[in-house]
Each structure stands twice: as structure tokens, then as C-alpha cells.
Amino acid sequence: MLDMNLVIANNILMRLKEQNKKQVDLADGIGISKQIVSKMLNGSRSINAIELRKIAAYLGVTMDALARLPEIPQDNNIVHAFMGRVTSEGGKNALAIADKLSDMILFHAKVRANGTQMMQPWEG
């Protein structure tokens, strides 16, 4: 599933890089703390419409440009995102195990939900 907040955050980061600006510059430019900007751009805090408008104005682009979907869909799986940043082989192996475990947990949760639903009396 595509997370629009991450799409917007990635577009903002791309524009900052193109303009040779940093997150702290953005924070100063729109009048919020660098901690809030960091949270918005790492996906742990949503970006509201007012903030998006201010960011677009600061970067000299439209809000639509910041909300534009990528040509190639992004993988928003958090474990996969960390895999690209981890350099040690042990860390990569641990993340691969975590990815498999999360898939198993989600699968078993769905099986359980389906089983519970199937056990309900059928009304026909």
C-alpha cells in the first residue's frame, strides 16, 4: 500500500537536494522546529495542508508537485527501508529475519481472522 505521506516526504527531500538545502533550512524557512521537520520527512508525523502549502512556497513549487506519485512505485516496507541503510552483514541478516517474521505474523493473523469468521453461523 502506498503511503502518501512518505511520497510527499520523499518529494520534499528530492527538492531540498536539488536546491542544495538542508532540513534545518526548511525548518527556518517555514517557521517550525527542525525536530518537527525531521519527523515529517521520516514519516513519523503527517504533514498537514497548511504545512504543505508553506513548504511548497518555500521550495518554489506547487503542492501538486510535492504530492506527485513516483514513476516507479516505492517500497514503503519499513524493514526494507532499513535494509538499504544497514551496512553490516549481521544487521542485514537480522532485518531479513525480522521481515520474514512480520510476514508470518501477518499471515497467521489473517488465517485466524478468516477461521474465526468461518466458525460463525451461516445465515443464508
Side-chain angles (χ1 to χ4, degrees):
M1 182 169 77
L2 195 59
D3 182 341
M4 275 310 291
N5 200 56
L6 286 178
V7 168
I8 292 169
N10 286 332
N11 287 336
I12 293 168
L13 288 167
M14 181 183 69
R15 298 292 177 153
L16 287 171
K17 185 174 182 178
E18 287 172 357
Q19 296 179 18
N20 201 28
K21 295 178 180 176
K22 299 182 186 312
Q23 291 182 23
V24 69
D25 300 326
L26 176 61
D28 291 340
I30 64 171
I32 61 176
S33 75
K34 61 184 179 185
Q35 291 84 1
I36 290 176
V37 168
S38 177
K39 288 179 181 181
M40 289 190 307
L41 298 182
N42 73 22
S44 64
R45 182 186 179 278
S46 295
I47 302 169
N48 67 42
I50 295 168
E51 292 165 339
L52 186 60
R53 187 184 71 213
K54 287 180 181 180
I55 293 168
Y58 174 78
L59 295 173
V61 298
T62 64
M63 289 172 60
D64 287 341
L66 295 179
R68 189 164 294 131
L69 294 174
E71 296 290 323
I72 301 170
Q74 294 174 308
D75 182 3
N76 290 326
N77 181 316
I78 192 73
V79 174
H80 294 169
F82 278 117
M83 281 183 182
R85 294 182 180 160
V86 173
T87 56
S88 74
E89 215 41 53
K92 288 181 181 183
N93 289 337
L95 285 173
I97 291 168
D99 191 32
K100 288 179 185 175
L101 285 172
S102 67
D103 287 346
M104 289 172 41
I105 290 167
L106 291 173
F107 172 77
H108 287 292
K110 288 177 185 175
V111 168
R112 182 181 198 135
N114 288 340
T116 302
Q117 185 177 10
M118 290 174 56
M119 290 173 32
Q120 299 300 317
W122 185 57
E123 296 174 16

